[in-house]
Short mmCIF file of all heavy atoms in Angstrom, two decimals:
data_model
loop_
_atom_site.label_atom_id
_atom_site.label_comp_id
_atom_site.label_asym_id
_atom_site.label_seq_id
_atom_site.Cartn_x
_atom_site.Cartn_y
_atom_site.Cartn_z
N VAL J 170 -29.75 6.32 22.40
CA VAL J 170 -29.98 7.35 21.38
C VAL J 170 -28.88 8.40 21.50
O VAL J 170 -28.43 8.90 20.49
CB VAL J 170 -31.37 8.01 21.73
CG1 VAL J 170 -31.48 9.37 20.83
CG2 VAL J 170 -32.60 7.03 21.41
N THR J 171 -28.41 8.71 22.83
CA THR J 171 -27.50 9.75 23.02
C THR J 171 -26.08 9.30 22.39
O THR J 171 -25.46 10.08 21.69
CB THR J 171 -27.27 10.10 24.50
OG1 THR J 171 -28.55 10.43 25.02
CG2 THR J 171 -26.18 11.08 24.71
N LEU J 172 -25.79 8.06 22.59
CA LEU J 172 -24.39 7.58 22.09
C LEU J 172 -24.46 7.50 20.55
O LEU J 172 -23.50 7.96 19.94
CB LEU J 172 -24.18 6.16 22.62
CG LEU J 172 -23.76 6.06 24.09
CD1 LEU J 172 -23.83 4.67 24.55
CD2 LEU J 172 -22.41 6.63 24.30
N TYR J 173 -25.50 7.01 19.95
CA TYR J 173 -25.54 6.96 18.50
C TYR J 173 -25.62 8.34 17.94
O TYR J 173 -25.12 8.51 16.75
CB TYR J 173 -26.70 6.05 17.98
CG TYR J 173 -26.28 4.56 18.11
CD1 TYR J 173 -26.70 3.77 19.11
CD2 TYR J 173 -25.50 3.97 17.06
CE1 TYR J 173 -26.24 2.55 19.29
CE2 TYR J 173 -25.23 2.65 17.15
CZ TYR J 173 -25.55 1.91 18.19
OH TYR J 173 -25.08 0.59 18.25
N THR J 174 -26.28 9.32 18.61
CA THR J 174 -26.36 10.68 18.11
C THR J 174 -25.03 11.35 18.17
O THR J 174 -24.65 12.01 17.23
CB THR J 174 -27.39 11.46 18.96
OG1 THR J 174 -28.69 10.90 18.89
CG2 THR J 174 -27.42 12.92 18.41
N THR J 175 -24.27 11.08 19.26
CA THR J 175 -23.01 11.74 19.32
C THR J 175 -22.06 11.06 18.14
O THR J 175 -21.42 11.88 17.57
CB THR J 175 -22.31 11.24 20.69
OG1 THR J 175 -23.17 11.76 21.80
CG2 THR J 175 -20.90 11.88 20.81
N TRP J 176 -22.13 9.88 17.95
CA TRP J 176 -21.38 9.20 16.91
C TRP J 176 -21.76 9.77 15.51
O TRP J 176 -20.98 10.13 14.71
CB TRP J 176 -21.56 7.63 16.96
CG TRP J 176 -21.05 6.80 15.82
CD1 TRP J 176 -21.74 5.74 15.19
CD2 TRP J 176 -19.71 6.92 15.18
NE1 TRP J 176 -20.93 5.25 14.34
CE2 TRP J 176 -19.73 5.92 14.20
CE3 TRP J 176 -18.61 7.75 15.33
CZ2 TRP J 176 -18.65 5.72 13.34
CZ3 TRP J 176 -17.52 7.49 14.55
CH2 TRP J 176 -17.55 6.51 13.53
N GLY J 177 -23.03 9.95 15.40
CA GLY J 177 -23.55 10.61 14.16
C GLY J 177 -23.07 12.04 13.97
O GLY J 177 -22.74 12.41 12.85
N VAL J 178 -23.11 12.76 14.99
CA VAL J 178 -22.70 14.20 14.96
C VAL J 178 -21.23 14.15 14.55
O VAL J 178 -20.84 15.00 13.62
CB VAL J 178 -22.87 14.93 16.30
CG1 VAL J 178 -22.25 16.29 16.36
CG2 VAL J 178 -24.38 15.13 16.50
N TYR J 179 -20.40 13.45 15.14
CA TYR J 179 -18.96 13.37 14.76
C TYR J 179 -18.79 13.01 13.29
O TYR J 179 -17.99 13.81 12.51
CB TYR J 179 -18.28 12.20 15.54
CG TYR J 179 -17.38 12.93 16.79
CD1 TYR J 179 -18.06 13.29 17.91
CD2 TYR J 179 -16.07 13.03 16.74
CE1 TYR J 179 -17.43 13.86 18.88
CE2 TYR J 179 -15.30 13.54 17.74
CZ TYR J 179 -15.99 13.96 18.86
OH TYR J 179 -15.27 14.56 19.86
N VAL J 180 -19.44 12.04 12.85
CA VAL J 180 -19.29 11.64 11.42
C VAL J 180 -19.80 12.83 10.57
O VAL J 180 -19.16 13.18 9.53
CB VAL J 180 -20.03 10.42 11.12
CG1 VAL J 180 -20.10 10.00 9.67
CG2 VAL J 180 -19.44 9.18 11.99
N PHE J 181 -21.04 13.29 10.81
CA PHE J 181 -21.60 14.35 10.02
C PHE J 181 -20.80 15.61 9.93
O PHE J 181 -20.50 16.08 8.81
CB PHE J 181 -22.98 14.74 10.59
CG PHE J 181 -23.68 15.87 9.85
CD1 PHE J 181 -24.31 15.57 8.64
CD2 PHE J 181 -23.79 17.13 10.38
CE1 PHE J 181 -24.94 16.65 7.90
CE2 PHE J 181 -24.29 18.20 9.63
CZ PHE J 181 -24.95 17.90 8.45
N LEU J 182 -20.28 16.06 11.12
CA LEU J 182 -19.37 17.23 10.99
C LEU J 182 -18.14 17.00 10.25
O LEU J 182 -17.66 17.92 9.57
CB LEU J 182 -19.11 17.67 12.50
CG LEU J 182 -20.30 18.29 13.24
CD1 LEU J 182 -19.93 18.65 14.73
CD2 LEU J 182 -20.93 19.57 12.58
N PHE J 183 -17.49 15.90 10.45
CA PHE J 183 -16.25 15.57 9.68
C PHE J 183 -16.59 15.47 8.18
O PHE J 183 -15.73 16.18 7.40
CB PHE J 183 -15.78 14.21 10.15
CG PHE J 183 -14.49 13.84 9.32
CD1 PHE J 183 -13.50 14.68 9.21
CD2 PHE J 183 -14.48 12.64 8.65
CE1 PHE J 183 -12.29 14.24 8.38
CE2 PHE J 183 -13.34 12.24 7.99
CZ PHE J 183 -12.37 13.08 7.80
N LEU J 184 -17.72 15.01 7.73
CA LEU J 184 -17.96 14.98 6.29
C LEU J 184 -18.15 16.42 5.82
O LEU J 184 -17.88 16.73 4.74
CB LEU J 184 -19.23 14.07 6.05
CG LEU J 184 -18.96 12.62 6.23
CD1 LEU J 184 -20.32 11.78 6.11
CD2 LEU J 184 -17.94 12.03 5.35
N CYS J 185 -18.92 17.22 6.59
CA CYS J 185 -19.13 18.66 6.28
C CYS J 185 -17.84 19.41 6.05
O CYS J 185 -17.64 20.06 5.16
CB CYS J 185 -20.05 19.28 7.32
SG CYS J 185 -21.91 18.85 7.24
N VAL J 186 -16.96 19.21 7.18
CA VAL J 186 -15.59 19.93 7.09
C VAL J 186 -14.82 19.40 5.86
O VAL J 186 -14.22 20.20 5.20
CB VAL J 186 -14.82 19.63 8.42
CG1 VAL J 186 -13.37 20.13 8.29
CG2 VAL J 186 -15.51 20.25 9.56
N THR J 187 -14.92 18.12 5.53
CA THR J 187 -14.12 17.60 4.33
C THR J 187 -14.66 18.19 3.06
O THR J 187 -13.99 18.66 2.22
CB THR J 187 -14.34 16.01 4.28
OG1 THR J 187 -13.80 15.46 5.53
CG2 THR J 187 -13.56 15.49 3.10
N ALA J 188 -15.98 18.30 2.97
CA ALA J 188 -16.63 18.97 1.72
C ALA J 188 -16.24 20.44 1.79
O ALA J 188 -15.93 20.98 0.66
CB ALA J 188 -18.12 18.80 1.77
N GLY J 189 -16.27 21.07 2.82
CA GLY J 189 -15.88 22.53 2.89
C GLY J 189 -14.40 22.67 2.51
O GLY J 189 -14.11 23.71 1.84
N GLU J 190 -13.55 21.76 2.88
CA GLU J 190 -12.19 21.84 2.58
C GLU J 190 -12.00 21.84 0.94
O GLU J 190 -11.17 22.62 0.41
CB GLU J 190 -11.33 20.78 3.19
CG GLU J 190 -10.96 21.09 4.58
CD GLU J 190 -9.58 20.54 4.93
OE1 GLU J 190 -8.61 21.18 4.43
OE2 GLU J 190 -9.46 19.70 5.76
N ILE J 191 -12.73 21.00 0.29
CA ILE J 191 -12.62 20.90 -1.13
C ILE J 191 -13.14 22.18 -1.72
O ILE J 191 -12.51 22.74 -2.67
CB ILE J 191 -13.54 19.65 -1.65
CG1 ILE J 191 -13.06 18.44 -1.08
CG2 ILE J 191 -13.57 19.76 -3.08
CD1 ILE J 191 -13.82 17.26 -1.40
N ILE J 192 -14.19 22.76 -1.30
CA ILE J 192 -14.79 24.09 -1.76
C ILE J 192 -13.71 25.18 -1.49
O ILE J 192 -13.44 25.99 -2.39
CB ILE J 192 -16.02 24.49 -1.18
CG1 ILE J 192 -17.12 23.43 -1.51
CG2 ILE J 192 -16.53 25.81 -1.53
CD1 ILE J 192 -18.53 23.59 -0.88
N PHE J 193 -13.19 25.14 -0.28
CA PHE J 193 -12.16 26.19 0.08
C PHE J 193 -10.93 26.17 -0.75
O PHE J 193 -10.33 27.18 -1.26
CB PHE J 193 -11.85 26.08 1.50
CG PHE J 193 -11.12 27.28 2.13
CD1 PHE J 193 -11.90 28.46 2.53
CD2 PHE J 193 -9.77 27.24 2.21
CE1 PHE J 193 -11.11 29.54 3.10
CE2 PHE J 193 -9.11 28.43 2.79
CZ PHE J 193 -9.83 29.52 3.25
N TRP J 194 -10.54 24.90 -1.06
CA TRP J 194 -9.34 24.60 -1.88
C TRP J 194 -9.58 25.19 -3.29
O TRP J 194 -8.68 25.79 -3.99
CB TRP J 194 -9.02 23.24 -1.90
CG TRP J 194 -7.87 22.84 -2.67
CD1 TRP J 194 -7.89 22.31 -4.08
CD2 TRP J 194 -6.51 22.87 -2.34
NE1 TRP J 194 -6.65 22.03 -4.44
CE2 TRP J 194 -5.78 22.33 -3.49
CE3 TRP J 194 -5.66 23.12 -1.25
CZ2 TRP J 194 -4.32 22.24 -3.56
CZ3 TRP J 194 -4.41 23.11 -1.21
CH2 TRP J 194 -3.65 22.63 -2.43
N GLN J 195 -10.69 24.92 -3.88
CA GLN J 195 -11.08 25.29 -5.17
C GLN J 195 -11.13 26.90 -5.35
O GLN J 195 -10.67 27.38 -6.30
CB GLN J 195 -12.38 24.74 -5.69
CG GLN J 195 -12.35 23.20 -5.92
CD GLN J 195 -13.81 22.65 -6.18
OE1 GLN J 195 -14.70 23.27 -5.99
NE2 GLN J 195 -13.76 21.47 -6.73
N GLU J 196 -11.53 27.49 -4.29
CA GLU J 196 -11.60 29.01 -4.23
C GLU J 196 -10.19 29.62 -4.00
O GLU J 196 -9.86 30.62 -4.64
CB GLU J 196 -12.59 29.36 -3.15
CG GLU J 196 -12.74 30.92 -3.13
CD GLU J 196 -13.65 31.44 -4.12
OE1 GLU J 196 -14.33 30.65 -4.90
OE2 GLU J 196 -13.75 32.59 -4.28
#
Side-chain angles (χ1 to χ4, degrees):
V170 171
T171 302
L172 286 169
Y173 279 98
T174 299
T175 301
W176 170 224
V178 167
Y179 257 77
V180 173
F181 177 78
L182 290 178
F183 174 55
L184 292 176
C185 286
V186 170
T187 301
E190 282 217 64
I191 295 173
I192 294 172
F193 195 82
W194 178 265
Q195 291 175 344
E196 181 77 9

